[in-house]
Amino acid sequence: MSIRNARHPFYDFCDEALAGIREQGRYRTFTPLAREASRYPVYEEELPNTDIGREVVVWSSNDYLGMGVEPEVCEAAISAIREHGAGAGGTRNIAGTSPLHKALETELAALHGKEAGLLFVSGYVSNQASLQTILTSMPGWICFSDRLNHASMIAGIKGARGSTTVIYEHNDLADLEAKLVAAPVDAPKLIAFESVYSMDGDISDIAGTCALARKYNALTYIDEVHAVGLYGEHGGGVTERDGVAAQVDIIEGTLAKGFGVHGGYITASAQIVDYLRSTASGFIFTTSLPPSVVAAALASVKMVRAQNWRREKMFERVETFRAKMRSAGVPFTMTPSHIVPVPVGDAERCKVISQRLLNEYGVYATPINYPTVPHGTERLRLTPGPYHTDEMMDDMVAALKILLTEVPLAATGTTQALTEAA
């Protein structure tokens, strides 16, 4: 066979890698679900090989407050399309910047008590671009990164050539301090961590981390993606709730979860924001968010800041759901956040339970498998929201009670469900 007609080895690599993923029970398929704005969290599932759909109640949406279906938010997007068109027309440097972008950045800066804000096309990009740009700005940077930081943070840190990464144990301030002590005194340092860790649902000690940062002259960078909109009197996140926002140098967030729209951002001092605006390739070389998205996000942020009842309703629903689970003897991991993980134990069992919930009970819960979580800690990640009714909760609890008993752990064959970690 000539070289010209030879099959490239990457094709074989893909086949082998995908076969391995399937054998491990962690091959992912997309579930065709269409959200019904007027009936959230009800979706319509497209049944295969038919034109028929059926109702499904979704339990794993990150639109925690349901802001993505709020009529006022949707109307803001529609009005912006009518006035400005469907797209942004380019990057903000090339095509100009809409007054909507500036208004949203001002609103977000005020939400976090910072001098300025900067929009990115997603929360992933805001983390990756910001961390990479900061950590390549001066020679000798050392980044102290929590072991369970999000993939987007890791991507930005790893992409910062020339910097050094020191990983400290998750939420372990003693380990962090020991590693800060061991670092050169004069090296520029940055501590990167999250407020709410979305897989385990735990919350970091922000005040303690900031105290160490002051002691060892380190910059602080916090990801509040799973907290903005949900915590604090105005939805400023855990940093607002705990009264420590002023102690954090850079607060990163998303518009896609608590605010229900799309996009990412950072807020910080005016000079840090201006530096990132001027140098971050993930900002400079990407078409900006379309005006419709920005207008919807701006409306959502304003509503969420002003309406604390939305947060109160969500947490009431979370506590009600936990009480129902506890009463029925259904295992779950108790967390200090709004996230309710249900431990399952292996990838195949997790996939089977998720599929049977959908097929037999008309409810959807995302299976969380490796590499998102370590082997043996697979789980269903549930996020009760303001629009989950008591009836929906009762149906979900009843289904889980049956399936966690019926579906065995692959490794042991046992049908015993894991117990609640209180």
Side-chain angles (χ1 to χ4, degrees):
M1 180 184 295
S2 68
I3 294 177
R4 181 186 297 273
N5 295 324
R7 175 181 167 93
H8 194 282
F10 183 62
Y11 292 97
D12 294 329
F13 174 85
C14 289
D15 289 340
E16 292 172 8
L18 290 169
I21 291 172
R22 287 187 176 93
E23 288 174 6
Q24 296 168 34
R26 59 185 184 91
Y27 182 76
R28 304 182 186 194
T29 58
F30 294 138
T31 303
L33 295 173
R35 181 158 67 166
E36 298 189 2
S38 63
R39 304 177 63 206
Y40 184 75
V42 174
Y43 287 56
E44 183 174 285
E45 180 192 14
E46 178 185 331
L47 298 177
N49 304 316
T50 72
D51 294 328
I52 302 172
R54 66 162 182 160
E55 293 182 357
V56 172
V57 177
V58 169
W59 280 89
S60 297
S61 172
N62 282 342
D63 186 355
Y64 295 128
L65 299 176
M67 295 304 296
V69 299
E70 275 293 321
E72 188 174 326
V73 172
C74 296
E75 186 55 40
I78 293 167
S79 297
I81 287 178
R82 290 196 183 106
E83 183 176 356
H84 303 291
T91 70
R92 289 169 74 180
N93 289 313
I94 291 174
T97 186
S98 164
L100 290 168
H101 290 78
K102 184 60 180 176
L104 180 54
E105 287 170 342
T106 300
E107 189 77 19
L108 291 167
L111 173 68
H112 295 294
K114 299 299 182 187
E115 292 179 342
L118 186 66
L119 291 172
F120 292 82
V121 293
S122 73
Y124 189 104
V125 173
S126 57
N127 269 334
Q128 182 183 34
S130 298
L131 285 166
Q132 183 171 326
T133 302
I134 292 167
L135 294 172
T136 53
S137 62
M138 301 186 301
W141 272 107
I142 303 175
C143 179
F144 298 84
S145 177
D146 187 288
R147 184 172 294 280
L148 295 189
N149 276 342
H150 189 263
S152 59
M153 302 176 76
I154 295 170
I157 294 165
K158 282 186 174 181
R161 294 182 180 179
S163 67
T164 300
T165 303
V166 176
I167 298 173
Y168 64 93
E169 294 306 316
H170 177 54
N171 280 346
D172 188 337
L173 295 189
D175 186 53
L176 173 59
E177 181 164 24
K179 286 169 176 169
L180 286 164
V181 168
V185 174
D186 296 333
K189 304 174 185 68
L190 180 144
I191 302 172
F193 63 116
E194 301 181 38
S195 58
V196 176
Y197 286 82
S198 64
M199 291 299 110
D200 292 331
D202 54 341
I203 295 177
S204 62
D205 180 351
I206 302 173
T209 304
C210 290
L212 289 178
R214 290 192 298 272
K215 184 176 180 180
Y216 296 98
N217 194 28
L219 203 67
T220 46
Y221 181 106
I222 191 168
D223 175 318
E224 283 257 50
V225 160
H226 289 275
V228 290
L230 311 183
Y231 297 80
E233 184 180 355
H234 304 99
V238 180
T239 50
E240 183 194 22
R241 185 197 71 177
D242 294 352
V244 294
Q247 299 177 33
V248 180
D249 294 292
I250 303 162
I251 297 177
E252 185 268 350
T254 183
L255 301 164
K257 294 181 171 61
F259 299 122
V261 189
H262 185 72
Y265 66 89
I266 59 105
T267 63
S269 67
Q271 62 263 47
I272 287 178
V273 170
D274 199 20
Y275 176 76
L276 291 173
R277 181 190 67 82
S278 302
T279 61
S281 61
F283 172 81
I284 295 171
F285 298 107
T286 303
T287 297
S288 63
L289 290 168
S292 57
V293 171
V294 178
L298 179 58
S300 180
V301 173
K302 287 182 175 180
M303 292 175 70
V304 168
R305 287 187 70 189
Q307 298 170 353
N308 194 47
W309 64 264
R310 295 180 184 275
R311 287 175 282 283
E312 293 174 348
K313 179 65 173 177
M314 185 199 71
F315 281 106
E316 181 276 320
R317 292 284 79 194
V318 170
E319 292 309 312
T320 297
F321 183 63
R322 283 174 173 154
K324 288 178 178 291
M325 296 268 280
R326 190 177 290 110
S327 178
V330 176
F332 66 94
T333 302
M334 187 64 193
T335 75
S337 71
H338 58 286
I339 295 167
V340 183
V342 175
V344 174
D346 68 62
E348 184 61 28
R349 185 180 191 230
C350 201
K351 184 174 71 173
V352 169
I353 290 175
S354 176
Q355 196 62 52
R356 287 188 61 183
L357 281 170
L358 180 63
N359 294 342
E360 299 172 24
Y361 299 94
V363 294
Y364 179 73
T366 304
I368 305 296
N369 296 328
Y370 176 86
T372 306
V373 295
H375 288 296
T377 67
E378 289 82 1
R379 70 205 61 177
L380 301 175
R381 178 182 175 276
L382 308 183
T383 53
Y387 299 107
H388 283 101
T389 65
D390 282 2
E391 182 181 0
M392 290 175 182
M393 292 182 180
D394 291 338
D395 290 344
M396 183 57 161
V397 170
L400 286 171
K401 188 175 180 66
I402 293 170
L403 293 178
L404 287 169
T405 301
E406 287 185 357
V407 181
L409 280 165
T412 63
T414 182
T415 57
Q416 183 179 358
L418 302 177
T419 57
E420 175 184 345

